[in-house]
């Protein structure tokens, strides 16, 4: 109730405050759930998001927002409507179907939210993420030096955390910070990097903003390596590398990024616990990993023939809470996010998602002279890589709060061409002089 009411009140104040409140709940979700072993804690983030949704419903849309989200309405009708239709065909237990329905549609409204945000909203949200990422890094550092057991008790909700003791010759754990596991921490740091870098290079506002964003960028990249997720590290390398190789970056931006990389690189090189990603250079390991994924997924067509309309919502790989797993009938799961969609939404549902992803990726971005151009390019590169890597694992559309950020970026990238460009600077003294002149006139 506190999460629901807090996010509702914050959302009534402004969309950025509401999003900040939801993300704050999402950042603390993992550690709070682990230390309060109650089934109700599984719905902590859901309650916060519902409060925010209600606040948006009360606020409504202004004309500019309505014009941007109009292009998304047909897609959202399909993405939400089809699973709701399947819900009334009880292939699985009703509670399992409900969990599966939540996994298919609950995060989808964040696509609209990403389209609703104005350029100035994204800047304020970037600063909010900077504070959250620094707070998460503080917990990560404490876990690094003091040990994970002081923050995460051993119970059914921390099994993944304590099963990830595979760093430095299986002597150290991956660091989860405040998230449900280390992979969620690393993934969240990568996805938020698009906004942090996009706001950082603009140099607007006070110097405090610049240093806040600078510290958050360094802490976020270190968080990727502390979480020890090779997938997230790969996404980070590809996202930054491909974006900057495309050119059109000023020397000043390249220099700033190079300084940040040098700082992080020095710390990582001198700490073996942050070097799990180096196994990506082992071609035999990478080949074995892809062979495993291929071996698991090669029966996708056989499963599609057997379950053309799916195995019921929740019956294809959606994470089921431990207290409901005995209700799951005939579970089928492949290590592939698209197979999970197909096994729960059927072939029609999979085709809807693929068509939507293609539409998002071919949507044109704003032309030059847009201060958010770097962030939008990073976001589209990030989305392209994440959607491609979805064939080697699950969780892309069911991560808390990572999926919410992912779909916000989807909404932003697909409708950014309709949004007004933000002003290059936002200097308080200029605003004050403008207002004073207006009052005098």
């Amino acid at each position: 109730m506190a999460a629901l009411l807090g996010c509702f009140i914050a959302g009534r104040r402004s969309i950025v405050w509401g999003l900040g409140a939801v993300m704050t709940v999402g950042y603390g979700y993992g550690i709070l759930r682990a230390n309060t072993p109650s089934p109700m804690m599984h719905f902590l983030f859901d309650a916060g998001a519902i409060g925010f949704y209600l606040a948006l419903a009360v606020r409504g849309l202004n004309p500019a927002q309505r014009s941007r989200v109009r292009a998304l309405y047909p897609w959202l009708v399909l993405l939400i409507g089809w699973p709701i239709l399947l819900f009334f065909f009880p292939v699985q237990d009703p509670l399992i179907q409900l969990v599966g329905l939540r996994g298919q549609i609950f995060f989808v409204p964040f696509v609209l939210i990403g389209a609703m945000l104005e350029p100035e909203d994204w800047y304020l949200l970037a600063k909010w993420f900077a504070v959250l990422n620094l707070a998460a890094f503080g917990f990560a550092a404490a876990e690094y030096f003091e040990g994970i057991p002081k923050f995460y008790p051993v119970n059914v909700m921390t099994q993944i955390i304590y099963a990830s003791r595979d760093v430095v010759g299986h002597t150290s754990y991956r660091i989860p910070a405040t998230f449900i596991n280390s992979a969620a921490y690393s993934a969240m740091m990568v996805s938020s990097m698009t906004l942090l870098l996009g706001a950082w290079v603009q140099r607007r506002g006070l110097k405090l903003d610049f240093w806040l964003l600078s510290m958050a960028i360094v802490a976020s990249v270190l968080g990727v390596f502390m979480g020890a997720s090779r997938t997230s590290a790969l996404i980070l390398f590809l996202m930054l590398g491909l974006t900057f190789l495309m050119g059109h970056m000023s020397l000043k931006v390249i220099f700033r990024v190079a300084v940040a990389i040098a700082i992080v690189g020095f710390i990582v090189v001198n700490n073996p616990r942050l070097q799990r990603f180096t196994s990506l250079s082992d071609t035999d390991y990478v080949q074995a990993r892809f062979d495993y994924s291929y071996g698991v997924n090669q029966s996708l067509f056989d499963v599609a023939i057997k379950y053309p309309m799916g195995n019921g919502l929740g019956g294809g790989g959606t994470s089921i809470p431990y207290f409901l797993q005995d209700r799951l009938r005939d579970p089928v799961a492949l290590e592939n996010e698209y197979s999970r969609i197909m096994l729960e939404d059927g072939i029609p549902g999979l085709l809807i998602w693929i068509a939507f992803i293609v539409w998002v990726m071919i949507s044109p971005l704003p032309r030059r002279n847009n201060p958010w151009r770097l962030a939008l390019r990073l976001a589209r590169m990030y989305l392209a890589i994440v959607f491609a890597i979805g064939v080697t694992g699950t969780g892309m559309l069911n991560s808390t709060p990572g999926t919410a950020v992912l779909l916000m970026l989807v909404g932003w990238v697909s409708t950014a061409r309709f949004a007004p460009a933000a002003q290059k600077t936002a200097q308080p003294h200029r605003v004050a002089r403008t207002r004073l002149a207006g009052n005098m006139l």
Side-chain angles (χ1 to χ4, degrees):
M1 291 303 297
L4 189 149
L5 291 175
C7 292
F8 176 79
I9 294 171
R12 290 286 292 135
R13 176 170 181 172
S14 76
I15 188 171
V16 175
W17 276 78
L19 267 175
V22 171
M23 289 300 132
T24 302
V25 173
Y27 269 60
Y29 170 69
I31 196 167
L32 291 173
R33 192 184 74 168
N35 285 275
T36 312
S38 166
M40 288 302 296
M41 290 302 291
H42 281 269
F43 307 103
L44 177 65
F45 181 78
D46 293 33
I50 289 173
F52 181 47
Y53 291 162
L54 292 174
L56 291 180
V58 174
R59 288 174 58 90
L61 302 178
N62 61 42
Q65 292 171 337
R66 193 174 295 111
S67 66
R68 290 201 298 274
V69 304
R70 188 176 295 118
L72 294 169
Y73 283 152
W75 290 110
L76 266 66
V77 169
L78 292 172
L79 293 172
I80 295 177
W82 179 252
I84 290 177
L85 179 63
L86 293 179
F87 178 75
F88 295 100
F89 293 86
V91 178
Q92 294 286 341
D93 180 272
L95 290 178
I96 297 296
Q97 293 262 121
L98 188 61
V99 172
L101 181 66
R102 181 263 183 198
Q104 295 295 331
I105 72 172
F106 187 76
F107 289 104
V108 174
F110 280 95
V111 176
L112 282 181
I113 294 168
M116 292 167 56
L117 291 172
E118 306 291 346
E120 291 301 318
D121 294 333
W122 285 109
Y123 187 81
L124 294 175
L125 189 61
K127 292 198 292 183
W128 200 300
F129 273 120
V131 174
L132 289 177
N133 286 8
L134 286 171
F137 180 76
F139 276 90
E143 292 163 10
Y144 181 94
F145 291 108
E146 298 295 329
I148 290 176
K150 288 191 175 183
F151 301 87
Y152 284 86
V154 179
N155 56 41
V156 68
M157 289 188 254
T158 59
Q159 290 178 346
I160 295 179
I161 293 175
Y162 285 99
S164 63
R165 192 173 186 176
D166 55 359
V167 182
V168 193
H170 298 274
T171 60
S172 302
Y173 292 102
R174 307 181 208 173
I175 301 297
T178 59
F179 293 80
I180 56 176
N181 54 53
S182 59
Y185 175 40
S186 293
M188 191 65 226
M189 296 302 100
V190 175
S191 62
S192 62
M193 188 66 62
T194 58
L195 293 183
L196 296 178
L197 281 171
W200 185 53
V201 300
Q202 295 181 42
R203 291 299 299 268
R204 61 167 73 188
L206 303 174
K207 288 186 177 180
L208 179 62
D209 289 359
F210 175 75
W211 290 110
L212 171 65
L213 293 166
S214 299
M215 292 187 295
I217 288 170
V218 173
S220 301
V221 178
L222 286 175
V224 175
F225 300 117
M226 295 178 79
S229 170
R230 288 179 290 228
T231 299
S232 294
L234 178 62
I235 293 173
L236 179 65
F237 295 149
L238 289 174
M239 180 181 73
L240 294 177
L242 293 176
T243 299
F244 283 92
L245 282 175
M246 291 172 65
H248 305 294
M249 301 295 164
S250 68
L251 291 177
K252 186 181 292 185
V253 170
I254 295 175
F255 175 75
R256 292 177 194 162
V257 174
V259 171
I261 291 175
I263 294 173
V264 173
F266 177 80
I267 297 173
V268 171
V269 167
N270 289 280
N271 195 320
R273 285 186 65 177
L274 307 183
Q275 298 175 14
R276 184 171 180 265
F277 72 95
T278 57
S279 62
L280 292 171
S281 62
D282 184 349
T283 56
D284 292 335
Y285 167 79
V286 174
Q287 182 63 43
R289 181 65 181 82
F290 275 98
D291 288 344
Y292 172 75
S293 294
Y294 175 76
V296 171
N297 294 318
Q298 64 181 347
S299 59
L300 174 62
F301 293 104
D302 297 333
V303 174
I305 294 172
K306 184 177 180 180
Y307 302 99
M309 296 303 293
N311 188 38
L313 295 172
T318 292
S319 179
I320 304 296
Y322 69 92
F323 52 86
L324 293 178
Q325 289 183 356
D326 60 331
R327 295 173 177 263
L328 186 61
R329 296 195 293 262
D330 188 26
V332 182
L334 301 179
E335 192 173 322
N336 184 323
E337 186 70 7
Y338 300 103
S339 69
R340 184 191 68 81
I341 296 172
M342 188 273 297
L343 282 168
E344 301 199 15
D345 284 355
I347 295 176
L350 176 61
L351 293 177
I352 291 171
W353 268 103
I354 292 176
F356 177 61
I357 290 172
V358 171
W359 177 79
V360 170
M361 298 313 301
I362 65 175
S363 297
L365 295 179
R367 298 185 182 275
R368 296 183 180 182
N369 301 323
N370 187 306
W372 285 104
R373 188 163 177 259
L374 173 62
L376 287 166
R377 292 176 64 186
L378 284 169
R380 185 156 70 175
M381 192 64 68
Y382 168 75
L383 293 175
I385 297 169
V386 169
F387 289 146
I389 290 181
V391 300
T392 64
T394 59
M396 178 177 71
L397 298 177
N398 279 285
S399 175
T400 302
T403 298
V405 178
L406 173 76
L407 294 181
M408 282 170 53
L409 295 177
V410 165
W412 189 28
V413 167
S414 60
T415 62
R417 62 191 183 278
F418 303 123
Q423 294 184 1
K424 192 68 177 178
T425 58
Q427 298 177 3
H429 61 278
R430 288 190 180 180
V431 175
R433 286 204 302 266
T434 302
R435 290 178 177 170
L436 177 59
N439 291 336
M440 292 174 65
L441 292 173

